[in-house]
């Protein structure tokens, strides 16, 4: 890792610790938008991080990208950092100027829930985008919609939609966004490959954040096991607890590996299928880890007071966002089955 | 916590090497059936090992003066994973290349290195691991086989078990007691044992499939010269722990049943159901992740670090992945496991079903690995 990347990670860590201290995690207000915190994150330049250096970004290495998102997961960062990074990058690639402020993303929902027709250079849209992260807070939403002429990327500005608020299990805003109108051609780009991958990018970023969150849950569980005394000794001295926490450590390692694969894919190596692999692997780990962590923590871990749920509720949400394990497994499997038995190994080693 | 650094970058030299290995295997394994491919690092074929030696694919990272090729750990990794994925019979030299040779390179005497290492590199010298005993399995420090000092060397008495392929090997690295029984770890040493030495009896132990690959080795008043001592007297435990990092870290810990996955894909065909696709995709995602972690460990070895903890994690994850595979296959395809059905998938399934239990025993049991991981976490 380069020195400048280390500086980025270091200042990110300090900022997140500062904004969202770990020991106060359970006392967070999940209802208010933390405007001040977002301003600090913007000030550090993180939303632009995925852009190349001449576009005003950091030109991040894959390792550092994974590092930043892991820190966001560890901090349970209640901000649309991933969404803004993705949106900023897609807008940059498309040559549409990104609005100031937090942004969100909305892959084309399945089942024809959005009607999209080209109107000259523009786009006419109607329907509802379900569960858009921080939809109400966003200064703009990058949408990919399917039209008769192929996928189309559009920047929606707040005047283009109506929002009805919702939340995921972790209390993060997941808002329904209703559309009924025309989007000017200046904010519309007919599809290229980058556009099709909006959902995969979302999945890749959730995978990276899950890996960070899982790392934190492991650390919390180990600390608790060393501290909580029953039968005259710390419960971590019992072999059953040790073996369970070793399982968590294994799942944490697998998640970190999968997150690294995701980060490399975002940086251009591996593409959508690598992102699929990352999401299905971390999603599976999330469930195993959350369940063992709660078991180790006993009743106190079931309380609102304890901050374990800050992470486990996110894990239970994130594994389903931007496609769950079954969905991504199916897509990856379809590709592999198509390659045939003797295509599997060349495929795996090409990544 | 435990971090897995990004694996070393692949280079064009590495991709060239990969192509060379694939071309070689395409010819060599042309007529090898899936059932035989399933025995890869358990498939003993001295001729094949010699050919690999000729190619320079054994002892790849060792110094040239001992017959090695001074290539990187990643290059070695590429050769290993290609061999395993193709189902090449690499058992004969696997242990010498993976752990016995490196042990001698690290702590052996100059005479031992000069006598043995070039032969290993040529694919002509095979090693067995003499660690386990009837009363000393996971508790390796309980070893009772004893080497007693005598004029000019040692006299050894005791019994080793589960000694893989000893009946076809030239040497064994013997782990045994040289000090008191109370000095559990400090009282142990390692020896280089020529398996033709008088007083050694090797008897077959058949496995659940009725096959002979492991053995019982009885040592009765076996004389070993002073020059057979490997490393320092009393350093046996530390040396063996170093060896286990090599034993646990390789891609054989998740590629043993790769053939089962490819045969499953072949059976399903391009029109597999959505359910089947999801299963294949899940296994592929797990495989990609394991391979990433395992390559990361290869990078750590390259840097001269001792990734014992990383290796324990990868081995445990690999065993979980591989042991789940037979169940996945039988639920997806209505097929019975059988070694004699004549159907490729059914035979591979049969073989993996019978061998899968050993994946979380050999090289350290699941519970022992998790104990090591727990210690790494600061719980013990
Ligand atoms: C196919 C195969 C090939 C092998 N090849 C070799 C070889 O070439 N050379 C060699 O030296 N050995 C070899 N082994 C032996 C292998 O190393 C041992 O099987 C292994 O170390 C476990 O020892 P054991 O079988 O005596 O089981 P035991 O140690 O008796 O264990 C039995 C069960 O008890 C559990 N257990 C033991 N201690 C604890 C503890 N402290 N806490 C919790 N649970 C515990 C174990 O995890 C296991 O589940 C081979 C084994 C197999 C299956």
């Amino acid at each position: 890792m380069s020195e400048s990347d280390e500086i980025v990670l270091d200042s990110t860590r300090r900022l997140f610790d500062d904004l969202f201290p770990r020991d106060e995690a359970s006392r967070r207000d999940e209802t208010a938008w933390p405007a001040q915190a977002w301003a600090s994150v913007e000030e550090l330049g993180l939303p632009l991080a995925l852009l190349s250096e001449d576009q005003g970004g950091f030109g991040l290495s894959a390792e550092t990208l994974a590092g930043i998102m892991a820190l966001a997961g560890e901090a349970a960062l209640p901000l649309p950092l991933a969404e803004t990074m993705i949106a900023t990058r897609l807008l940059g690639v498309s040559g549409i100027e990104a609005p100031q402020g937090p942004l969100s993303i909305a892959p084309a929902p399945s089942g024809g829930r959005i009607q999209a027709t080209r109107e000259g250079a523009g786009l006419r849209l109607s329907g509802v985008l379900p569960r858009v992260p921080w939809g109400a807070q966003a200064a703009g939403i990058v949408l990919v919609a399917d039209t008769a002429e192929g996928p189309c990327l559009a920047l929606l500005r707040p005047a283009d939609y109506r929002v009805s608020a919702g939340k995921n299990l972790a209390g993060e805003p997941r808002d329904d966004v209703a559309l009924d109108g025309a989007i000017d051609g200046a904010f519309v780009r007919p599809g290229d490959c980058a556009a099709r991958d909006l959902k995969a990018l979302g999945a890749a970023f959730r995978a990276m954040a899950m890996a960070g969150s899982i790392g934190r849950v492991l650390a919390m569980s180990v600390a608790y096991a060393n501290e909580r005394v029953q039968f005259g000794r710390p419960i971590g001295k019992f072999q059953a607890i040790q073996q369970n926490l070793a399982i968590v450590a294994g799942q944490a390692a697998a998640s970190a590996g999968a997150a690294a694969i995701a980060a490399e894919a975002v940086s251009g190596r591996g593409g959508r299928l690598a992102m699929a692999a990352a999401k299905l692997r971390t999603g599976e780990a999330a469930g195993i880890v959350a369940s063992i962590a709660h078991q180790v923590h006993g009743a106190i871990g079931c309380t609102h007071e304890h901050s374990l749920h800050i992470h486990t509720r996110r894990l239970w949400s994130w594994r389903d966002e931007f496609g769950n394990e079954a969905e991504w497994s199916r897509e990856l499997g379809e590709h592999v089955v198509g390659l045939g038995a003797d295509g599997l190994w060349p495929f795996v080693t090409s990544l | 916590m435990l971090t897995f650094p990004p694996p070393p970058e692949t280079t064009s030299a590495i991709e060239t090497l990969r192509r060379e290995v694939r071309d070689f295997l395409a010819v060599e394994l042309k007529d090898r059936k899936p059932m035989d491919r399933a025995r890869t690092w358990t498939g003993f074929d001295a001729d094949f090992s010699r050919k690999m030696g000729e190619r320079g694919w054994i002892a790849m990272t060792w110094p040239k003066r001992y017959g090695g090729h001074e290539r990187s750990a990643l290059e070695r990794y590429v050769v290993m994973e290609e061999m395993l994925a193709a189902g090449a019979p690499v058992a004969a030299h696997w242990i010498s290349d993976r752990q016995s040779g490196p042990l001698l390179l690290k702590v052996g005497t100059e005479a031992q290195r000069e006598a043995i290492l070039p032969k290993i590199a040529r694919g002509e010298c095979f090693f067995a691991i003499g660690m386990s005993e009837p009363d000393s399995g996971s508790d390796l420090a309980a070893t009772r086989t004893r080497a007693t000092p005598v004029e000019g060397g040692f006299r050894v008495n005791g019994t080793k078990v589960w000694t893989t392929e000893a009946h076809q090997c030239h040497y064994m690295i013997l782990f045994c007691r040289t000090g008191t029984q109370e000095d559990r770890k400090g009282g142990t040493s390692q020896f280089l044992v020529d398996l033709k030495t008088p007083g050694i009896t090797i008897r077959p132990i058949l496995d659940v499939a009725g096959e002979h690959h492991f053995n019982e080795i009885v040592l009765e008043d076996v004389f070993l010269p002073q020059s057979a001592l490997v490393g320092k007297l009393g350093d046996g435990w530390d040396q063996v722990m170093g060896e286990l990092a090599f034993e646990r870290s390789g891609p054989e810990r998740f590629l043993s049943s790769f053939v089962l996955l490819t045969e499953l894909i072949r059976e399903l065909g391009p029109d597999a159901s959505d359910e089947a696709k999801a299963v294949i995709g899940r296994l592929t995602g797990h495989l990609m992740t394991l391979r990433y972690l395992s390559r990361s460990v290869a990078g750590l070895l390259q840097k001269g670090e001792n990734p014992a903890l990383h290796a324990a994690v990868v081995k445990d994850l690999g065993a979980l992945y591989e042991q789940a595979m037979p169940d996945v296959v039988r639920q997806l395809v209505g097929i019975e496991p059988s070694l004699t059905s004549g159907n490729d998938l059914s035979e591979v399934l049969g073989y993996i079903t019978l061998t899968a239990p050993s994946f979380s025993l050999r090289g350290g049991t699941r519970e022992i690995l998790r104990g090591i991981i727990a210690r790494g976490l600061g719980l013990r």
Side-chain angles (χ1 to χ4, degrees):
Chain A
M1 195 182 289
S2 74
E3 204 176 317
S4 64
D5 279 10
E6 269 173 43
I7 294 171
V8 170
L9 275 185
D10 219 49
S11 27
T12 304
R13 180 180 295 111
R14 266 184 282 119
L15 177 65
F16 290 176
D17 281 352
D18 207 37
L19 292 174
F20 302 103
R22 290 170 181 199
D23 41 351
E24 292 168 24
S26 64
R27 268 164 283 150
R28 272 187 203 172
D29 179 1
E30 281 178 0
T31 55
W33 162 247
Q36 204 48 54
W38 178 257
S40 311
V41 167
E42 269 190 341
E43 207 174 308
L44 198 59
L46 291 179
L48 307 181
L50 275 189
L51 299 179
S52 64
E53 269 161 310
D54 44 293
Q55 286 174 304
F58 299 168
L60 281 189
S61 70
E63 193 184 359
T64 313
L65 170 61
I68 291 176
M69 288 320 298
L71 288 171
E74 276 172 46
L77 193 76
L79 298 171
L81 177 59
E83 290 79 0
T84 307
M85 282 169 88
I86 296 169
T88 307
R89 165 141 118 192
L90 289 188
L91 292 173
V93 172
S94 311
I96 302 173
E97 195 181 335
Q100 266 300 308
L103 303 175
S104 192
I105 54 172
S110 56
R113 273 183 287 180
I114 289 284
Q115 265 74 55
T117 38
R118 294 306 304 270
E119 243 179 31
L123 192 61
R124 175 159 293 280
L125 292 168
S126 68
V128 176
L129 296 168
R131 302 182 72 77
V132 176
W134 285 275
Q137 218 55 57
I141 298 170
V142 172
L143 160 82
V144 173
D146 289 324
T147 71
E149 291 84 21
C152 217
L153 178 143
L155 169 65
L156 312 176
R157 287 153 313 145
D160 298 328
Y161 50 79
R162 274 169 299 109
V163 173
S164 52
K167 283 179 184 310
N168 68 9
L169 211 53
E172 296 177 313
R174 297 294 183 260
D175 305 327
D176 285 353
V177 168
L179 294 164
D180 190 10
I183 312 295
D184 187 273
F187 302 105
V188 175
R189 295 288 179 275
D192 47 21
C193 312
R196 246 197 87 231
D197 277 352
L198 193 45
K199 183 168 188 177
L201 283 167
F205 275 74
R206 286 292 183 269
M208 292 187 260
M210 278 196 278
S213 178
I214 285 171
R216 179 81 191 117
V217 169
L218 170 61
M220 288 172 75
S221 304
V222 168
Y224 186 72
N226 275 329
E227 181 183 294
R228 169 73 173 167
V229 173
Q230 285 293 279
F231 300 97
R233 43 185 176 149
I235 55 169
K237 295 291 165 210
F238 295 112
Q239 203 184 43
I241 302 262
Q242 292 174 356
Q243 299 269 314
N244 272 335
L245 290 178
I247 295 175
V248 174
Q251 295 300 319
S255 309
I261 291 173
E264 285 185 357
V266 171
S267 310
R269 181 153 87 202
R272 185 177 168 95
L273 294 169
M275 299 182 196
K279 183 65 163 52
L280 74 90
R281 186 63 188 88
T282 48
E284 185 173 322
I288 299 170
V289 167
S291 117
I292 295 179
H294 274 289
Q295 188 66 20
V296 168
H297 276 83
I300 193 78
C302 301
T303 63
H304 191 72
E305 164 96 29
H306 196 280
S307 47
L308 180 62
H309 66 78
I310 293 290
H311 291 281
T312 49
R313 285 187 297 139
R314 279 179 171 72
L315 291 173
W316 288 320
S317 302
W318 293 348
R319 63 181 177 171
D320 285 329
E321 294 179 358
F322 299 107
N324 65 13
E325 296 97 278
E327 182 176 338
W328 286 116
S329 295
R330 241 177 353 254
E331 179 166 335
L332 182 55
E334 178 151 297
H335 181 79
V336 169
V337 165
L339 292 172
D342 300 320
L344 172 62
W345 184 247
F347 167 70
V348 166
T349 50
S350 72
L351 295 169
Chain B
M1 294 279 139
L2 197 58
T3 55
F4 287 78
E9 286 289 323
T10 42
T11 59
S12 62
I14 286 189
E15 287 321 303
T16 307
L17 174 63
R18 195 187 290 286
R19 270 195 306 278
E20 280 167 23
V21 178
R22 283 187 186 166
D23 290 347
F24 168 82
L25 290 172
V27 176
E28 288 296 323
L29 304 184
K30 191 163 40 68
D31 302 318
R32 200 167 164 82
K33 292 175 44 97
M35 175 61 164
D36 297 318
R37 289 177 191 257
R39 292 156 219 261
T40 167
W41 65 290
T42 50
F44 196 103
D45 182 341
D47 282 342
F48 187 84
S49 290
R50 209 179 16 76
K51 284 186 192 163
M52 278 189 65
E54 276 166 16
R55 288 286 177 139
W57 292 337
I58 302 177
M60 287 181 73
T61 61
W62 306 354
K64 288 193 171 147
R65 68 175 186 286
Y66 300 123
H69 304 283
E70 301 186 1
R71 302 187 78 160
S72 68
L74 194 65
E75 287 175 303
R76 171 167 182 267
Y77 188 91
V78 165
V79 172
M80 288 196 299
E81 68 171 358
E82 289 297 326
M83 293 290 157
L84 295 168
V90 288
H93 68 274
W94 195 256
I95 287 167
S96 347
D97 180 59
R98 178 183 73 188
Q99 69 194 89
S100 313
L103 174 75
L104 293 177
L105 198 56
K106 200 159 142 214
V107 300
T109 63
E110 199 51 36
Q112 287 167 345
R113 292 181 188 151
E114 281 172 2
I116 307 277
L117 296 181
K119 283 197 274 179
I120 293 180
R122 289 199 299 272
E124 292 170 358
C125 180
F126 311 136
F127 270 74
I129 304 169
M131 295 189 198
S132 304
E133 297 178 12
D135 292 325
S136 166
S138 298
D139 187 8
L140 193 54
T143 178
R144 288 216 305 246
T145 298
R146 173 175 289 284
T148 315
V150 293
E151 164 108 43
F154 300 85
R155 194 174 52 242
V156 185
N157 281 287
T159 302
K160 291 287 165 184
V161 278
W162 322 126
T163 329
T164 300
E165 302 296 352
H167 59 298
Q168 308 195 67
C169 286
H170 306 94
Y171 293 94
M172 162 171 79
I173 298 288
L174 172 72
F175 173 76
C176 68
R177 191 152 297 287
T178 45
T180 62
Q181 202 70 32
E182 289 69 46
D183 187 4
R184 278 170 43 89
K185 295 175 181 173
T188 61
S189 304
Q190 284 184 300
F191 294 90
L192 172 65
V193 179
D194 184 334
L195 287 168
K196 299 221 172 50
T197 311
I200 294 181
T201 311
I202 303 177
R203 292 197 199 98
I205 304 175
L206 301 187
D207 72 4
V208 284
E211 291 184 10
H212 175 203
H213 52 85
F214 51 36
N215 300 275
E216 176 192 65
I217 302 190
V218 179
L219 302 108
E220 283 168 306
D221 288 332
V222 174
F223 174 75
L224 297 179
Q226 189 66 38
S227 60
L229 180 67
V230 175
K232 286 220 255 341
L233 199 69
D235 274 3
W237 180 261
D238 290 342
Q239 291 173 197
V240 130
M241 288 299 119
E243 229 185 285
L244 284 170
F246 292 118
E247 182 168 350
R248 288 170 181 158
S249 62
E252 69 268 38
R253 300 304 179 182
F254 61 93
L255 286 176
S256 300
S257 41
F258 184 69
V259 176
L260 183 53
L261 181 54
T262 53
E263 289 315 303
L264 173 63
I265 294 170
R266 207 181 306 283
E267 171 80 22
L268 292 170
D271 303 323
S273 68
D274 274 359
E275 183 201 0
K277 284 176 190 161
V279 167
I280 298 296
R282 174 177 175 271
L283 292 174
T284 305
H286 277 245
L287 176 64
M288 288 162 64
T289 307
L290 282 162
R291 182 169 174 268
Y292 181 91
L293 296 178
S294 173
R295 282 160 62 232
S296 168
V297 175
L300 290 170
L301 287 171
Q302 168 85 5
K303 282 192 229 135
E305 290 176 35
N306 177 1
L309 196 53
H310 298 78
V313 168
V314 179
K315 181 174 181 289
D316 187 36
L317 284 171
L320 284 174
Y321 163 77
E322 295 209 288
Q323 289 179 330
M325 199 111 69
D327 238 24
V328 165
V329 174
R330 49 178 278 279
Q331 299 289 357
L332 211 51
V333 186
I335 198 164
E336 291 181 27
S338 159
L339 298 179
T340 52
S341 66
N343 170 291
D344 287 338
L345 180 61
S346 147
E347 290 190 359
V348 173
L349 176 62
Y351 179 72
I352 300 294
T353 301
L354 293 178
T355 49
S358 74
F359 298 163
S360 54
L361 294 173
R362 61 189 312 178
T365 71
R366 169 169 297 142
E367 289 73 17
I368 294 303
L369 294 176
R370 291 184 180 169
I372 292 169
I373 297 166
R375 181 171 295 120
L377 290 172
L379 291 167
R380 333 173 27 205

